[in-house]
Amino acid sequence: MSYRADERRYERQPYNRSGRSGLRLPAVSLGLWHNFGDDRPVENSRAILRRAFDLGVTHFDLANNYGVPYGSAERTFGRILREDFLPYRDELVISTKAGYDMWPGPYGEWGSRKYLLASLDQSLARMGLDYVDIFYSHRPDPDTPLEETMGALDRAVRSGKALYAGISNYSPEQTAQAARIMRELGTPLLIHQPSYSMINRWIEDGLLDTLEEAGMGCIVFSPLAQGVLTDRYLEGVPADSRAATSRFLTPDRIDRELARDLGAIARGRGQTLAQMALSWTLRDPRVTSVLIGASSVGQLEDNVACVDGPAFTEDELDAIDKITVPTSSAR
């Protein structure tokens, strides 16, 4: 059946301006790191993407090495874009990134001009696009001059292959330097994509201030701490869960007492723990958008509903701090 988007899609969530730019992003964006590779049924991926757009999620975030195998999330997305979303391309913000390992040899990762621009060309080919809306340097390169990495982002924008440039996983000091270089080149950085959650609060120690000063937006990933900040593990580790199957989350990283204590606050707010954790990341107006992942339509709907939650009271924020600040992990 051909897809026609819900006519009420823009009534479902707020859209926030990214820094001092003209671009507005949905409060909740969809990341395609997991669940969109060749190891997952394409019809499940299609159902999630369709429902996301119907709920006002206009921003889809990818990277060159997302999916199993690498590149497969971009191919899956490109197929669904072609078959379902082509009439809506100008309503979408599509991003991709390069920085982690993608192919063998010395030019297959990090931040050289050769790698970044070659990777962007490959990403465009996999998705069947002429341009992406945002192209990121996925991580800083300790051995490549920052001027070279930023010069590659500037070139990507000037060539028309990206509309905006962003960075991810950069420290406050690196961010300030990168923003200065890009301003001098005439292509201001649009946005930074850091990790952030109630138990990973490193961006509060300088990065948010740096972004505000530079006029950059902030879109956060891992707001649920790979599932720790959900009800998923309250009674143990299910065999099909991420903690049981992924190297990115191991059972020893799950604090059930913390999750239960936070869950009690969430229930008092009429939210699930996941919804409260997402609402919490958006409480600071300097956070433009929060990236969620979804393995099912139901999970997507539950998470996007975080935008309907009540504002936090000072008592709730104090209670959350008492639970999370002592265990808040470093970056």
Side-chain angles (χ1 to χ4, degrees):
M1 179 182 296
S2 61
Y3 169 67
R4 178 176 295 179
D6 191 319
E7 293 182 356
R8 299 182 60 192
R9 58 190 176 278
Y10 292 113
E11 302 173 16
R12 306 297 173 81
Q13 63 172 307
Y15 296 83
N16 303 320
R17 192 170 299 278
S18 182
R20 290 195 292 268
S21 77
L23 186 68
R24 295 167 65 193
L25 296 178
V28 178
S29 299
L30 182 64
L32 277 64
W33 181 17
H34 300 289
N35 307 310
F36 291 86
D38 290 349
D39 58 332
R40 302 300 174 97
V42 69
E43 290 311 314
N44 187 60
S45 301
R46 186 191 307 276
I48 293 170
L49 288 168
R50 285 182 171 187
R51 185 58 177 150
F53 190 50
D54 285 345
L55 291 173
V57 177
T58 55
H59 177 30
F60 299 130
D61 180 75
L62 298 105
N64 55 357
N65 64 349
Y66 283 2
V68 180
Y70 288 170
S72 57
E74 289 182 328
R75 285 194 300 272
T76 297
F77 178 75
R79 171 181 169 180
I80 297 170
L81 175 72
R82 201 165 50 246
E83 296 173 355
D84 289 356
F85 291 104
L86 212 53
Y88 307 102
R89 171 63 183 100
D90 291 335
E91 297 183 41
L92 301 178
V93 174
I94 301 168
S95 63
T96 195
K97 301 178 282 291
Y100 286 94
D101 63 299
M102 185 60 190
W103 60 82
Y107 319 120
E109 63 177 327
W110 293 108
S112 71
R113 182 182 183 92
K114 179 173 177 60
Y115 167 65
L116 291 175
L117 296 180
S119 178
L120 177 56
D121 284 341
Q122 292 182 20
S123 290
L124 292 174
R126 282 190 289 269
M127 291 188 282
L129 291 171
D130 296 323
Y131 70 94
V132 291
D133 296 276
I134 309 171
F135 181 53
Y136 288 89
S137 166
H138 206 166
R139 61 173 171 170
D141 183 342
D143 298 317
T144 296
L146 192 55
E147 289 81 2
E148 179 176 340
T149 301
M150 294 302 105
L153 294 183
D154 175 68
R155 175 59 181 166
V157 172
R158 291 184 184 278
S159 69
K161 295 177 181 179
L163 299 186
Y164 300 93
I167 56 176
S168 181
N169 298 304
Y170 280 56
S171 71
E173 296 75 21
Q174 292 164 330
T175 298
Q177 186 180 0
R180 176 186 58 78
I181 293 169
M182 291 296 278
R183 279 196 305 270
E184 293 173 353
L185 291 171
T187 304
L189 284 172
L190 172 80
I191 199 164
H192 188 298
Q193 187 176 133
S195 61
Y196 184 49
S197 72
M198 287 192 286
I199 57 174
N200 177 19
R201 300 174 66 161
W202 73 276
I203 70 172
E204 296 173 7
D205 189 20
L207 181 62
L208 286 172
D209 291 336
T210 299
L211 297 177
E212 184 175 30
E213 182 177 347
M216 295 171 59
C218 179
I219 180 168
V220 301
F221 70 90
S222 293
L224 303 181
Q226 299 291 311
V228 174
L229 296 173
T230 70
D231 299 330
R232 181 76 160 143
Y233 301 106
L234 293 182
E235 306 303 327
V237 179
D240 62 344
S241 67
R242 185 173 296 179
T245 61
S246 171
R247 63 187 175 90
F248 296 103
L249 176 65
T250 54
D252 62 301
R253 291 177 56 193
I254 298 171
D255 187 333
R256 293 189 186 89
E257 183 178 355
L258 176 143
R260 290 191 185 104
D261 290 344
L262 291 173
I265 300 173
R267 287 192 295 276
R269 291 170 47 80
Q271 292 184 302
T272 65
L273 174 52
Q275 288 169 346
M276 184 180 77
L278 295 170
S279 296
W280 181 90
T281 64
L282 290 164
R283 79 200 186 286
D284 191 315
R286 294 172 295 182
V287 175
T288 311
S289 183
V290 59
L291 275 167
I292 63 168
S295 59
S296 68
V297 169
Q299 185 183 57
L300 170 81
E301 292 173 337
D302 182 76
N303 287 346
V304 172
C306 73
V307 300
D308 299 320
F312 285 94
T313 66
E314 288 300 321
D315 287 345
E316 288 171 339
L317 292 175
D318 288 344
I320 290 169
D321 284 348
K322 288 177 182 177
I323 296 168
T324 63
V325 169
T327 61
S328 179
S329 62
R331 179 180 173 204

